[in-house]
Amino acid sequence: MKKIMMTMAAVSALAMAGPAVAQNAQGNFDARINQLQANVQAGVQSGRITRNEAVPLREQLRQLSQLERRYSRDGL
């Protein structure tokens, strides 16, 4: 459960930093999102987190990607 909370905190921190990251390095932002998605999937496959625990993490990553796309439309 600690790992879930730490991952959720990391996703939240990334969401707050999203606009700045998108402004500075679009490719790095996408790569980081992809890495976080892979980490969640690896956690499920290894049994470190359950599928039910992964659902909100994946939703947060999806929302973060949407936010990044929305910010990037205006050139941020």
Side-chain angles (χ1 to χ4, degrees):
M1 190 61 158
K2 272 186 177 179
K3 289 181 183 181
I4 299 296
M5 295 304 289
M6 290 175 59
T7 303
M8 289 176 67
V11 169
S12 296
L14 188 57
M16 296 169 111
V21 172
Q23 182 176 7
N24 291 327
Q26 172 76 27
N28 289 340
F29 184 84
D30 290 337
R32 184 66 181 139
I33 291 293
N34 290 338
Q35 182 61 47
L36 288 169
Q37 290 170 335
N39 289 349
V40 170
Q41 183 61 30
V44 170
Q45 289 177 347
S46 72
R48 287 180 298 191
I49 60 175
T50 67
R51 291 182 190 269
N52 288 339
E53 291 170 332
V55 170
L57 297 173
R58 287 181 175 136
E59 176 62 20
Q60 287 179 357
L61 287 169
R62 186 185 66 74
Q63 289 174 356
L64 185 57
S65 287
Q66 288 177 343
L67 180 64
E68 184 272 331
R69 279 193 303 273
R70 192 171 34 197
Y71 282 132
S72 68
R73 279 187 220 140
D74 294 329
L76 291 178

